[in-house]
Amino acid sequence: MGERKRIPCVAGNWKMHNTVAESTALVKELLPELEGISSVKSILCPPFTALNSVAKLIRESTIHLGAQNLYWEGQGAFTGEISPQMVAELAEYVIIGHSERRAYFGDTDDVVNKKVQAAISAGLQPILCVGETLEENESGRTGEVVKRQISVGLMDLSKEQMRGLMIAYEPVWAIGTGKAATPEGANQVILDFIRKEIAHFASEEISEMIPVLYGGSVKPDNAKDFFDQLDIDGALVGGASLKAEAFVQITKAAA
Ligand code: 13P
């Protein structure tokens, strides 16, 4: 077996779950456990309303903080939106282009690109999500879709800016369904379409250094099989990140 090239990372996308009180309770359970797993980068992505409380709780720890979205404008009359600078005051990472945003909130590839650029300008590290729907998968269009999401999503970024990126390959049909992709299949998509596409318009070196996570029904009992794949550098976990024990087990599987 080959050597792992990148530091493993497990990120929890809490989606629209957890009030401030619930977030605080979850972090208090997670903290002592995650602190002991130093070989894995842990990132928690609570809802906006809980970012501040979670930031305070993990300040002295090795755990990192991410947001789930942002708006690309710096400031102005955009009622209900959150600017990159506002996010960057609290978090280091930001999930961009999650399939739920693409499906329900009109986040096209162009919107995703604006958000990625704005996030980087504000000093945030984007976690760009890509992945095909069931229909796209069944009609053999996975490669085409993922390559477009990568090439448009990362348009006009300099090579230097790409170095801070993280990508999550999340096939839409695997999210919240309990039907995860096969580890070999996910690894192949990452290798053939994600890393190759990045190598094509950035460089081989950058493609090799960017961590690519897998997301979609990752659970304690299947996590290790994904992490055994050399091009899968960790997981973006939804449902199982809401339970301290499950998230800790997944993180341990990456260690
Ligand atoms: P599940 O782990 O609940 O399938 O969600 C994955 C996901 O969408 C993470 O961003």
Side-chain angles (χ1 to χ4, degrees):
M1 219 177 123
E3 290 274 310
R4 195 156 268 299
K5 296 179 189 140
R6 295 155 292 265
I7 296 169
C9 169
V10 176
N13 174 9
W14 295 359
K15 307 192 179 182
M16 199 174 73
H17 293 283
N18 291 338
T19 60
V20 172
E22 287 162 347
S23 300
T24 304
L26 179 54
V27 173
K28 284 185 177 161
E29 271 192 85
L30 287 171
L31 250 177
E33 300 285 340
L34 294 182
E35 274 283 75
I37 315 172
S38 57
S39 59
V40 181
K41 180 182 279 188
S42 303
I43 308 176
L44 302 180
C45 305
F48 286 125
T49 47
L51 278 176
N52 195 28
S53 318
V54 174
K56 283 185 188 148
L57 284 172
I58 64 175
R59 187 167 293 150
E60 306 290 319
S61 80
T62 55
I63 302 171
H64 300 261
L65 190 62
Q68 300 173 18
N69 183 33
L70 46 62
Y71 190 58
W72 62 83
E73 292 286 353
Q75 59 179 11
F78 303 103
T79 302
E81 291 299 320
I82 313 268
S83 77
Q85 289 78 1
M86 291 168 185
V87 174
E89 260 190 323
L90 299 167
E92 277 174 81
Y93 292 86
V94 59
I95 297 172
I96 297 179
H98 192 279
S99 63
E100 288 147 17
R101 300 252 10 132
R102 295 178 190 261
Y104 310 138
F105 303 102
D107 284 15
T108 60
D109 289 321
D110 289 321
V111 165
V112 167
N113 177 246
K114 282 186 187 170
K115 291 185 174 184
V116 167
Q117 295 201 38
I120 293 173
S121 301
L124 288 158
Q125 287 186 255
I127 304 174
L128 170 64
C129 299
V130 298
E132 81 287 5
T133 63
L134 184 62
E135 193 226 318
E136 288 160 347
N137 180 285
E138 287 177 342
S139 58
R141 292 167 56 217
T142 299
E144 171 202 326
V145 169
V146 169
K147 285 201 285 190
R148 188 202 66 227
Q149 290 171 333
I150 292 279
S151 60
V152 181
L154 301 182
M155 214 163 42
D156 295 331
L157 256 62
S158 69
K159 289 187 184 175
E160 217 41 57
Q161 289 176 321
M162 282 196 207
R163 288 175 193 275
L165 279 177
M166 217 181 255
I167 310 270
Y169 170 53
E170 300 207 309
V172 181
W173 46 271
I175 296 178
T177 59
K179 290 187 196 139
T182 63
E184 298 76 17
N187 195 67
Q188 206 61 46
V189 171
I190 291 170
L191 207 50
D192 289 351
F193 306 128
I194 298 178
R195 292 207 192 279
K196 257 200 197 134
E197 190 65 12
I198 295 172
H200 177 69
F201 73 84
S203 71
E204 195 72 47
E205 184 226 339
I206 290 172
S207 154
E208 285 283 308
M209 72 179 288
I210 291 181
V212 183
L213 315 181
Y214 166 78
S217 297
V218 175
K219 308 284 175 210
D221 60 3
N222 65 10
K224 189 174 178 303
D225 297 335
F226 285 101
F227 304 149
D228 281 345
Q229 299 290 324
L230 282 183
D231 277 285
I232 299 180
D233 302 312
L236 181 54
V237 186
S241 72
L242 300 172
K243 297 262 180 286
E245 201 190 326
F247 191 67
V248 168
Q249 280 180 28
I250 293 170
T251 308
K252 281 185 178 158

